Amino acid sequence: MNTFDYIIVGAGSAGCPVARALTEDPNVSVLLVEAGPHADRFWVNTPAGMAKLYFNERLNWNYHTEPLAKLKNRRMYWPRGKTLGGSSSINGMVFIRGHAKDFDSWRDLGNPGWGYDDVLPHFKAMEHFERRADQWRGQGGPLWISDPVVKSASSYDFIESASRLGHPRTEDMNGEAHDGVGFMQHSIKGGRRHSAFVAFVKPILNRKNLTVVTDAPVQRVLFDGKAATGIEVKHEGELRRFTAAREVILSGGALNTPQLLMLSGVGPGGELQKHGIPVVHESAGVGQNLQDHFYMHTGWRATADSSYNANIAGLRKYWEGFKYLMTRRGYLALGSSQVAAFVKSSPDEPYADLQISFRPMTFQYFPDGTVAVENQPGMGVSVYQLRPQTTGTVTLRSNRPSDKAVSSPEFLTDPYDIAAMISGIKQIRQIMTTEPIRSRVVSEEVPGPKVRTDEDIFNFMVETGNSAHHQGGTCKMGRDPMAVVDERLRLRGIERLRVVDASIMPHLTSGNTNAPTIMIGVKGGEMIRLDATPRRAISA
């Protein structure tokens, strides 16, 4: 049983929908390979458990960037899911599709079939939106999308303050109007995390044509000339080979997929030769075009009734835990943020290029890697730029699969990006000093009143700026010389090999990237099924 029609590398946000789509045909066999373990654990299923997963050594790749010259040589931490469901099993569960113009831009960059009108049916088909189905939203799909079960009074006040500053209210940022301010939605069902694995694969585990293998990191893709023939994995301490009669599909994510391609001999020729890897196919764009959303956090000391810190810290957290176990409701059933405001950094922007997120609680991070809710009442407000101009790279550290790739984003190297983020900090302050949210603020703790000028804000960004953990673009889709895959997600220059994950994004979407990544898996799975690559002859 080492031969399958399709082999999917990575049981994450994109790989799980691909597996579901391909196994619809009972005459097709599918192997889904995941580097990490199963994900059926209490703190994975519990939405508030994300804080305990942030540095988890078993379920998280725990990546770091290289030292960043523009950020005082800091190494930025990049958590990525290493378990069934991938990052959808450890993230904040925020569900944001992105702006319609994001996808129209993908189409206009040489990718027919990826405009908003093309992807909207896939977004609708993949979801069950609790509130309704209409022209924009779907019901009956595998992935459950819900509103927060607790909507804090301070969240309503934040929305009101933003609206008084001219930002329109939106009751559904995944519907007709993306830009504006309103409550976020989350991939949570009945108070439990609804990961891509739980939504797409767990219900079909009884399909006889699906095989799932966990704790099996893939070492390389195998080739016969310019055709992919299978994979080599490390499983239970041994190297094993699996053969693909039709196709190999890479869904390892924006960091792992380009690394695996290069380890397998597909990538920039100079990079492969530097590490003594025989070149199967030179593809200059593999590992290039790395993008991420640069993120800034602000913290506000709040009045007692404006924050739920006290409810999930100290002795009261045990009552919340008991309530959650009994009802699957309460503060432990909430995602990472309550409200989002999509705003422009300047009037010249065609549509919002900043996402401001509000949460009526605050975390404290300790040097040993642990995370705890602050004891004092607090409100957290963050911002990140949606359309960064800078791009970085993912390259190899060595020719050993066990060595993590070299990730080098280029944060704070572009004047446009810097100006947009400075505007974002200023707009947070505008909102938080506007009634009615203003009455809930005791003091601005981070960055604090000493940070006033643009230069002060820039220095604050240098010292504390972080990542929103939305990496993408490293095997981009397109037709230019740096494009790695075509619009059918087939690897250019290689047969029987596709990439289906966030790495194919020509540029990032406007918002959290999990929802569009799942959509890529849904659309990609349908394309592979419709293309129905013929089985190749396999000798005994």
Side-chain angles (χ1 to χ4, degrees):
M1 292 297 295
N2 285 337
T3 298
F4 300 85
D5 286 308
Y6 296 99
I7 295 175
I8 305 167
V9 178
S13 299
C16 287
V18 174
R20 186 185 183 100
L22 297 182
T23 54
E24 293 287 343
D25 182 351
N27 298 312
V28 166
S29 60
V30 175
L31 172 65
L32 180 61
V33 181
E34 169 55 40
H38 73 87
D40 190 11
R41 302 157 192 251
F42 177 79
W43 288 118
V44 172
N45 296 327
T46 304
M50 55 168 284
K52 294 184 178 294
L53 305 173
Y54 195 70
F55 295 101
N56 189 287
E57 294 183 357
R58 188 80 175 93
L59 308 177
N60 194 325
W61 286 99
N62 294 304
Y63 287 132
H64 287 85
T65 68
E66 296 304 289
L68 302 175
K70 297 293 185 179
L71 281 81
K72 294 190 173 180
N73 286 319
R74 288 191 289 123
R75 297 177 71 229
M76 198 167 284
Y77 177 58
W78 278 359
R80 306 308 302 159
K82 185 184 181 183
T83 182
L84 294 175
S87 292
S88 73
S89 289
I90 69 167
N91 67 4
M93 295 148 287
V94 173
F95 186 90
I96 294 177
R97 292 175 176 177
H99 198 286
K101 291 182 179 179
D102 297 333
F103 304 101
D104 289 345
S105 174
W106 288 8
R107 177 199 62 205
D108 296 344
L109 287 169
N111 300 293
W114 287 91
Y116 184 64
D117 290 342
D118 303 305
V119 302
L120 179 58
H122 299 287
F123 275 122
K124 292 177 66 177
M126 79 190 206
E127 73 177 6
H128 179 88
F129 182 42
E130 274 190 343
R131 254 193 275 153
R132 64 172 181 269
D134 58 22
Q135 179 182 356
W136 313 101
R137 303 307 302 268
Q139 282 191 331
L143 184 66
W144 205 274
I145 308 302
S146 61
D147 294 308
V149 293
V150 179
K151 294 182 177 179
S152 300
S154 52
S155 295
Y156 283 104
D157 284 353
F158 182 90
I159 292 171
E160 174 62 21
S161 294
S163 69
R164 290 185 185 184
L165 290 169
H167 302 297
R169 295 173 185 258
T170 175
E171 58 88 32
D172 181 10
M173 59 189 62
N174 294 303
E176 183 176 9
H178 173 269
D179 287 2
V181 59
F183 281 99
M184 292 183 178
Q185 297 152 23
H186 301 85
S187 50
I188 296 174
K189 180 181 181 181
R192 290 163 66 89
R193 175 192 294 273
H194 214 227
S195 70
F197 175 77
V198 171
F200 291 91
V201 175
K202 191 175 181 180
I204 63 160
L205 283 174
N206 61 345
R207 289 182 180 174
K208 295 181 179 179
N209 59 341
L210 173 64
T211 301
V212 180
V213 177
T214 56
D215 291 301
V218 177
Q219 309 296 290
R220 60 190 177 115
V221 179
L222 305 173
F223 294 95
D224 180 6
K226 295 271 187 175
T229 61
I231 59 171
E232 184 177 79
V233 308
K234 191 172 184 179
H235 187 239
E236 296 178 346
E238 296 183 358
L239 290 178
R240 296 182 62 188
R241 290 190 171 190
F242 294 102
T243 299
R246 293 179 185 259
E247 293 188 40
V248 175
I249 299 116
L250 304 186
S251 298
L255 305 182
N256 289 351
T257 288
Q259 181 189 25
L260 179 59
L261 281 171
M262 288 184 281
L263 289 170
S264 307
V266 179
E271 179 69 14
L272 304 183
Q273 292 160 10
K274 182 169 69 174
H275 297 286
I277 298 172
V279 177
V280 172
H281 175 69
E282 183 158 359
S283 179
V286 173
Q288 306 298 300
N289 193 47
L290 170 65
Q291 297 177 39
D292 189 14
H293 288 142
F294 185 73
Y295 168 101
M296 290 300 305
H297 174 77
T298 71
W300 304 77
R301 190 61 60 223
T303 58
D305 62 342
S306 302
S307 170
Y308 59 79
N309 281 1
N311 297 85
I312 50 178
L315 293 176
R316 294 178 69 178
K317 70 183 178 185
Y318 297 106
W319 165 244
E320 278 300 318
F322 175 76
K323 184 166 65 174
Y324 176 76
L325 289 172
M326 293 297 102
T327 66
R328 299 294 184 209
R329 298 182 70 82
Y331 295 113
L332 297 190
L334 293 175
S336 60
S337 296
Q338 287 235 319
V339 173
F342 289 92
V343 304
K344 296 180 179 181
S345 64
S346 81
D348 297 332
E349 292 297 326
Y351 59 104
D353 61 329
L354 295 172
Q355 178 178 333
I356 296 173
S357 300
F358 174 84
R359 59 198 67 85
M361 56 89 66
T362 48
F363 285 113
Q364 185 175 3
Y365 296 86
F366 296 98
D368 65 356
T370 57
V371 181
V373 176
E374 287 190 325
N375 292 323
Q376 298 297 314
M379 298 179 290
V381 194
S382 60
V383 61
Y384 56 82
Q385 183 196 10
L386 299 172
R387 296 192 293 279
Q389 299 296 299
T390 55
T391 61
T393 59
V394 174
T395 54
L396 295 177
R397 197 169 302 278
S398 74
N399 59 12
R400 294 184 295 274
S402 58
D403 287 345
K404 295 177 179 179
V406 177
S407 298
S408 302
E410 297 294 332
F411 292 133
L412 299 188
T413 58
D414 184 90
Y416 168 83
D417 295 354
I418 293 168
M421 288 298 293
I422 290 174
S423 171
I425 297 292
K426 290 179 177 179
Q427 291 193 57
I428 288 175
R429 283 173 159 167
Q430 278 185 313
I431 296 171
M432 295 301 288
T433 54
T434 298
E435 293 292 356
I437 195 69
R438 178 179 180 176
S439 294
R440 297 183 177 276
V441 174
V442 174
S443 62
E444 177 188 323
E445 297 290 299
V446 179
K450 292 183 179 179
V451 175
R452 302 311 309 173
T453 67
D454 286 5
E455 183 179 3
D456 292 339
I457 295 173
F458 175 73
N459 290 333
F460 171 64
M461 289 160 52
V462 167
E463 292 171 0
T464 68
N466 212 313
S467 161
H469 314 314
H470 299 161
Q471 296 87 13
T474 49
C475 297
K476 76 171 185 176
M477 170 176 60
R479 299 186 179 185
D480 63 88
M482 297 300 287
V484 176
V485 300
D486 65 13
E487 67 271 17
R488 304 295 290 182
L489 308 188
R490 299 171 296 206
L491 207 102
R492 293 190 175 278
I494 292 286
E495 298 175 9
R496 301 181 182 273
L497 181 63
R498 300 199 203 212
V499 175
V500 186
D501 59 29
S503 65
I504 66 98
M505 295 181 177
H507 57 73
L508 296 179
T509 51
S510 298
N512 302 63
T513 50
N514 195 238
T517 300
I518 294 173
M519 180 278 293
I520 289 168
V522 171
K523 181 173 171 63
E526 180 180 279
M527 288 193 298
I528 296 167
R529 185 170 54 82
L530 291 175
D531 289 349
T533 300
R535 292 186 178 96
R536 60 188 180 85
I538 299 174
S539 56

PDB file of all heavy atoms in Angstrom, residues 385-408:
ATOM      1  N   GLN A 385      -0.283  46.492   8.303  1.00  0.00           N
ATOM      2  CA  GLN A 385      -0.430  46.982   6.941  1.00  0.00           C
ATOM      3  C   GLN A 385      -0.809  45.822   6.032  1.00  0.00           C
ATOM      4  O   GLN A 385      -0.197  44.754   6.065  1.00  0.00           O
ATOM      5  CB  GLN A 385       0.886  47.609   6.479  1.00  0.00           C
ATOM      6  CG  GLN A 385       0.820  48.208   5.096  1.00  0.00           C
ATOM      7  CD  GLN A 385       2.188  48.463   4.531  1.00  0.00           C
ATOM      8  OE1 GLN A 385       3.172  48.028   5.111  1.00  0.00           O
ATOM      9  NE2 GLN A 385       2.263  49.146   3.411  1.00  0.00           N
ATOM     10  N   LEU A 386      -1.808  46.033   5.192  1.00  0.00           N
ATOM     11  CA  LEU A 386      -2.379  44.944   4.407  1.00  0.00           C
ATOM     12  C   LEU A 386      -1.659  44.692   3.092  1.00  0.00           C
ATOM     13  O   LEU A 386      -1.638  43.559   2.607  1.00  0.00           O
ATOM     14  CB  LEU A 386      -3.858  45.246   4.124  1.00  0.00           C
ATOM     15  CG  LEU A 386      -4.727  45.378   5.378  1.00  0.00           C
ATOM     16  CD1 LEU A 386      -6.109  45.874   5.007  1.00  0.00           C
ATOM     17  CD2 LEU A 386      -4.809  44.053   6.116  1.00  0.00           C
ATOM     18  N   ARG A 387      -1.072  45.724   2.503  1.00  0.00           N
ATOM     19  CA  ARG A 387      -0.450  45.567   1.180  1.00  0.00           C
ATOM     20  C   ARG A 387       1.009  46.013   1.228  1.00  0.00           C
ATOM     21  O   ARG A 387       1.373  47.057   0.665  1.00  0.00           O
ATOM     22  CB  ARG A 387      -1.232  46.356   0.129  1.00  0.00           C
ATOM     23  CG  ARG A 387      -2.649  45.842  -0.060  1.00  0.00           C
ATOM     24  CD  ARG A 387      -3.317  46.436  -1.282  1.00  0.00           C
ATOM     25  NE  ARG A 387      -3.577  47.860  -1.179  1.00  0.00           N
ATOM     26  CZ  ARG A 387      -4.612  48.386  -0.547  1.00  0.00           C
ATOM     27  NH1 ARG A 387      -5.468  47.607   0.073  1.00  0.00           N
ATOM     28  NH2 ARG A 387      -4.798  49.706  -0.518  1.00  0.00           N
ATOM     29  N   PRO A 388       1.876  45.249   1.878  1.00  0.00           N
ATOM     30  CA  PRO A 388       3.275  45.667   2.002  1.00  0.00           C
ATOM     31  C   PRO A 388       3.984  45.692   0.645  1.00  0.00           C
ATOM     32  O   PRO A 388       3.720  44.866  -0.229  1.00  0.00           O
ATOM     33  CB  PRO A 388       3.876  44.586   2.911  1.00  0.00           C
ATOM     34  CG  PRO A 388       2.994  43.392   2.733  1.00  0.00           C
ATOM     35  CD  PRO A 388       1.615  43.941   2.507  1.00  0.00           C
ATOM     36  N   GLN A 389       4.872  46.642   0.508  1.00  0.00           N
ATOM     37  CA  GLN A 389       5.663  46.761  -0.719  1.00  0.00           C
ATOM     38  C   GLN A 389       6.906  45.878  -0.677  1.00  0.00           C
ATOM     39  O   GLN A 389       7.441  45.499  -1.716  1.00  0.00           O
ATOM     40  CB  GLN A 389       6.087  48.225  -0.921  1.00  0.00           C
ATOM     41  CG  GLN A 389       4.917  49.186  -1.055  1.00  0.00           C
ATOM     42  CD  GLN A 389       4.071  48.916  -2.275  1.00  0.00           C
ATOM     43  OE1 GLN A 389       4.561  48.990  -3.402  1.00  0.00           O
ATOM     44  NE2 GLN A 389       2.800  48.592  -2.065  1.00  0.00           N
ATOM     45  N   THR A 390       7.380  45.574   0.514  1.00  0.00           N
ATOM     46  CA  THR A 390       8.625  44.820   0.640  1.00  0.00           C
ATOM     47  C   THR A 390       8.374  43.329   0.495  1.00  0.00           C
ATOM     48  O   THR A 390       7.321  42.808   0.861  1.00  0.00           O
ATOM     49  CB  THR A 390       9.274  45.073   2.007  1.00  0.00           C
ATOM     50  OG1 THR A 390       8.324  44.778   3.037  1.00  0.00           O
ATOM     51  CG2 THR A 390       9.697  46.515   2.140  1.00  0.00           C
ATOM     52  N   THR A 391       9.359  42.653  -0.036  1.00  0.00           N
ATOM     53  CA  THR A 391       9.337  41.193  -0.112  1.00  0.00           C
ATOM     54  C   THR A 391      10.666  40.648   0.391  1.00  0.00           C
ATOM     55  O   THR A 391      11.710  41.314   0.270  1.00  0.00           O
ATOM     56  CB  THR A 391       9.100  40.692  -1.553  1.00  0.00           C
ATOM     57  OG1 THR A 391      10.167  41.150  -2.393  1.00  0.00           O
ATOM     58  CG2 THR A 391       7.768  41.189  -2.091  1.00  0.00           C
ATOM     59  N   GLY A 392      10.624  39.451   0.949  1.00  0.00           N
ATOM     60  CA  GLY A 392      11.824  38.802   1.457  1.00  0.00           C
ATOM     61  C   GLY A 392      12.034  37.462   0.792  1.00  0.00           C
ATOM     62  O   GLY A 392      11.511  37.198  -0.304  1.00  0.00           O
ATOM     63  N   THR A 393      12.789  36.599   1.463  1.00  0.00           N
ATOM     64  CA  THR A 393      13.138  35.313   0.864  1.00  0.00           C
ATOM     65  C   THR A 393      13.086  34.185   1.891  1.00  0.00           C
ATOM     66  O   THR A 393      13.253  34.405   3.096  1.00  0.00           O
ATOM     67  CB  THR A 393      14.571  35.346   0.281  1.00  0.00           C
ATOM     68  OG1 THR A 393      15.499  35.656   1.332  1.00  0.00           O
ATOM     69  CG2 THR A 393      14.689  36.372  -0.833  1.00  0.00           C
ATOM     70  N   VAL A 394      12.860  32.994   1.374  1.00  0.00           N
ATOM     71  CA  VAL A 394      13.058  31.757   2.124  1.00  0.00           C
ATOM     72  C   VAL A 394      14.130  30.974   1.380  1.00  0.00           C
ATOM     73  O   VAL A 394      13.960  30.646   0.196  1.00  0.00           O
ATOM     74  CB  VAL A 394      11.766  30.919   2.218  1.00  0.00           C
ATOM     75  CG1 VAL A 394      12.048  29.565   2.868  1.00  0.00           C
ATOM     76  CG2 VAL A 394      10.703  31.660   3.010  1.00  0.00           C
ATOM     77  N   THR A 395      15.239  30.711   2.045  1.00  0.00           N
ATOM     78  CA  THR A 395      16.341  29.963   1.431  1.00  0.00           C
ATOM     79  C   THR A 395      16.730  28.801   2.335  1.00  0.00           C
ATOM     80  O   THR A 395      16.176  28.628   3.424  1.00  0.00           O
ATOM     81  CB  THR A 395      17.550  30.885   1.173  1.00  0.00           C
ATOM     82  OG1 THR A 395      17.910  31.532   2.407  1.00  0.00           O
ATOM     83  CG2 THR A 395      17.221  31.951   0.135  1.00  0.00           C
ATOM     84  N   LEU A 396      17.686  28.019   1.893  1.00  0.00           N
ATOM     85  CA  LEU A 396      18.093  26.826   2.633  1.00  0.00           C
ATOM     86  C   LEU A 396      19.205  27.140   3.625  1.00  0.00           C
ATOM     87  O   LEU A 396      20.109  27.926   3.339  1.00  0.00           O
ATOM     88  CB  LEU A 396      18.563  25.741   1.677  1.00  0.00           C
ATOM     89  CG  LEU A 396      17.517  25.157   0.725  1.00  0.00           C
ATOM     90  CD1 LEU A 396      18.182  24.140  -0.210  1.00  0.00           C
ATOM     91  CD2 LEU A 396      16.369  24.515   1.488  1.00  0.00           C
ATOM     92  N   ARG A 397      19.138  26.487   4.760  1.00  0.00           N
ATOM     93  CA  ARG A 397      20.234  26.546   5.724  1.00  0.00           C
ATOM     94  C   ARG A 397      21.280  25.487   5.392  1.00  0.00           C
ATOM     95  O   ARG A 397      22.476  25.668   5.613  1.00  0.00           O
ATOM     96  CB  ARG A 397      19.707  26.336   7.140  1.00  0.00           C
ATOM     97  CG  ARG A 397      20.674  26.770   8.240  1.00  0.00           C
ATOM     98  CD  ARG A 397      20.004  26.777   9.602  1.00  0.00           C
ATOM     99  NE  ARG A 397      18.839  27.654   9.651  1.00  0.00           N
ATOM    100  CZ  ARG A 397      18.889  28.964   9.833  1.00  0.00           C
ATOM    101  NH1 ARG A 397      20.060  29.562   9.992  1.00  0.00           N
ATOM    102  NH2 ARG A 397      17.789  29.683   9.861  1.00  0.00           N
ATOM    103  N   SER A 398      20.799  24.363   4.885  1.00  0.00           N
ATOM    104  CA  SER A 398      21.672  23.266   4.477  1.00  0.00           C
ATOM    105  C   SER A 398      20.851  22.346   3.588  1.00  0.00           C
ATOM    106  O   SER A 398      19.687  22.634   3.273  1.00  0.00           O
ATOM    107  CB  SER A 398      22.179  22.498   5.707  1.00  0.00           C
ATOM    108  OG  SER A 398      21.142  21.689   6.251  1.00  0.00           O
ATOM    109  N   ASN A 399      21.441  21.232   3.195  1.00  0.00           N
ATOM    110  CA  ASN A 399      20.702  20.242   2.411  1.00  0.00           C
ATOM    111  C   ASN A 399      20.043  19.188   3.294  1.00  0.00           C
ATOM    112  O   ASN A 399      19.572  18.163   2.795  1.00  0.00           O
ATOM    113  CB  ASN A 399      21.610  19.584   1.367  1.00  0.00           C
ATOM    114  CG  ASN A 399      22.801  18.878   2.004  1.00  0.00           C
ATOM    115  OD1 ASN A 399      22.843  18.692   3.229  1.00  0.00           O
ATOM    116  ND2 ASN A 399      23.768  18.485   1.183  1.00  0.00           N
ATOM    117  N   ARG A 400      19.967  19.440   4.590  1.00  0.00           N
ATOM    118  CA  ARG A 400      19.333  18.500   5.521  1.00  0.00           C
ATOM    119  C   ARG A 400      17.897  18.946   5.804  1.00  0.00           C
ATOM    120  O   ARG A 400      17.676  20.072   6.271  1.00  0.00           O
ATOM    121  CB  ARG A 400      20.117  18.423   6.832  1.00  0.00           C
ATOM    122  CG  ARG A 400      21.510  17.815   6.695  1.00  0.00           C
ATOM    123  CD  ARG A 400      22.191  17.689   8.055  1.00  0.00           C
ATOM    124  NE  ARG A 400      22.438  18.995   8.655  1.00  0.00           N
ATOM    125  CZ  ARG A 400      23.509  19.745   8.413  1.00  0.00           C
ATOM    126  NH1 ARG A 400      24.443  19.310   7.567  1.00  0.00           N
ATOM    127  NH2 ARG A 400      23.660  20.918   9.005  1.00  0.00           N
ATOM    128  N   PRO A 401      16.916  18.091   5.571  1.00  0.00           N
ATOM    129  CA  PRO A 401      15.518  18.457   5.819  1.00  0.00           C
ATOM    130  C   PRO A 401      15.242  18.832   7.274  1.00  0.00           C
ATOM    131  O   PRO A 401      14.306  19.584   7.546  1.00  0.00           O
ATOM    132  CB  PRO A 401      14.748  17.190   5.424  1.00  0.00           C
ATOM    133  CG  PRO A 401      15.647  16.466   4.483  1.00  0.00           C
ATOM    134  CD  PRO A 401      17.039  16.745   4.956  1.00  0.00           C
ATOM    135  N   SER A 402      16.028  18.342   8.197  1.00  0.00           N
ATOM    136  CA  SER A 402      15.792  18.636   9.612  1.00  0.00           C
ATOM    137  C   SER A 402      16.203  20.051  10.004  1.00  0.00           C
ATOM    138  O   SER A 402      15.815  20.543  11.069  1.00  0.00           O
ATOM    139  CB  SER A 402      16.544  17.634  10.493  1.00  0.00           C
ATOM    140  OG  SER A 402      17.941  17.666  10.213  1.00  0.00           O
ATOM    141  N   ASP A 403      16.987  20.718   9.174  1.00  0.00           N
ATOM    142  CA  ASP A 403      17.398  22.093   9.450  1.00  0.00           C
ATOM    143  C   ASP A 403      16.342  23.065   8.937  1.00  0.00           C
ATOM    144  O   ASP A 403      15.952  23.019   7.766  1.00  0.00           O
ATOM    145  CB  ASP A 403      18.743  22.398   8.782  1.00  0.00           C
ATOM    146  CG  ASP A 403      19.903  21.708   9.476  1.00  0.00           C
ATOM    147  OD1 ASP A 403      19.714  21.239  10.608  1.00  0.00           O
ATOM    148  OD2 ASP A 403      20.990  21.628   8.874  1.00  0.00           O
ATOM    149  N   LYS A 404      15.880  23.944   9.799  1.00  0.00           N
ATOM    150  CA  LYS A 404      14.850  24.891   9.395  1.00  0.00           C
ATOM    151  C   LYS A 404      15.380  25.851   8.331  1.00  0.00           C
ATOM    152  O   LYS A 404      16.558  26.191   8.309  1.00  0.00           O
ATOM    153  CB  LYS A 404      14.350  25.671  10.613  1.00  0.00           C
ATOM    154  CG  LYS A 404      13.632  24.794  11.631  1.00  0.00           C
ATOM    155  CD  LYS A 404      13.219  25.581  12.861  1.00  0.00           C
ATOM    156  CE  LYS A 404      12.489  24.672  13.856  1.00  0.00           C
ATOM    157  NZ  LYS A 404      12.079  25.383  15.090  1.00  0.00           N
ATOM    158  N   ALA A 405      14.487  26.269   7.466  1.00  0.00           N
ATOM    159  CA  ALA A 405      14.868  27.174   6.390  1.00  0.00           C
ATOM    160  C   ALA A 405      15.305  28.530   6.947  1.00  0.00           C
ATOM    161  O   ALA A 405      15.051  28.869   8.107  1.00  0.00           O
ATOM    162  CB  ALA A 405      13.711  27.353   5.419  1.00  0.00           C
ATOM    163  N   VAL A 406      15.939  29.309   6.104  1.00  0.00           N
ATOM    164  CA  VAL A 406      16.375  30.659   6.445  1.00  0.00           C
ATOM    165  C   VAL A 406      15.297  31.628   5.957  1.00  0.00           C
ATOM    166  O   VAL A 406      15.106  31.802   4.749  1.00  0.00           O
ATOM    167  CB  VAL A 406      17.727  30.991   5.783  1.00  0.00           C
ATOM    168  CG1 VAL A 406      18.128  32.427   6.081  1.00  0.00           C
ATOM    169  CG2 VAL A 406      18.805  30.014   6.246  1.00  0.00           C
ATOM    170  N   SER A 407      14.585  32.245   6.883  1.00  0.00           N
ATOM    171  CA  SER A 407      13.502  33.168   6.538  1.00  0.00           C
ATOM    172  C   SER A 407      13.969  34.600   6.769  1.00  0.00           C
ATOM    173  O   SER A 407      14.360  34.955   7.878  1.00  0.00           O
ATOM    174  CB  SER A 407      12.266  32.884   7.384  1.00  0.00           C
ATOM    175  OG  SER A 407      11.787  31.574   7.140  1.00  0.00           O
ATOM    176  N   SER A 408      13.917  35.399   5.710  1.00  0.00           N
ATOM    177  CA  SER A 408      14.442  36.765   5.779  1.00  0.00           C
ATOM    178  C   SER A 408      13.434  37.761   5.210  1.00  0.00           C
ATOM    179  O   SER A 408      13.506  38.129   4.036  1.00  0.00           O
ATOM    180  CB  SER A 408      15.760  36.871   5.006  1.00  0.00           C
ATOM    181  OG  SER A 408      16.718  35.968   5.508  1.00  0.00           O
TER     182      SER A 408
END
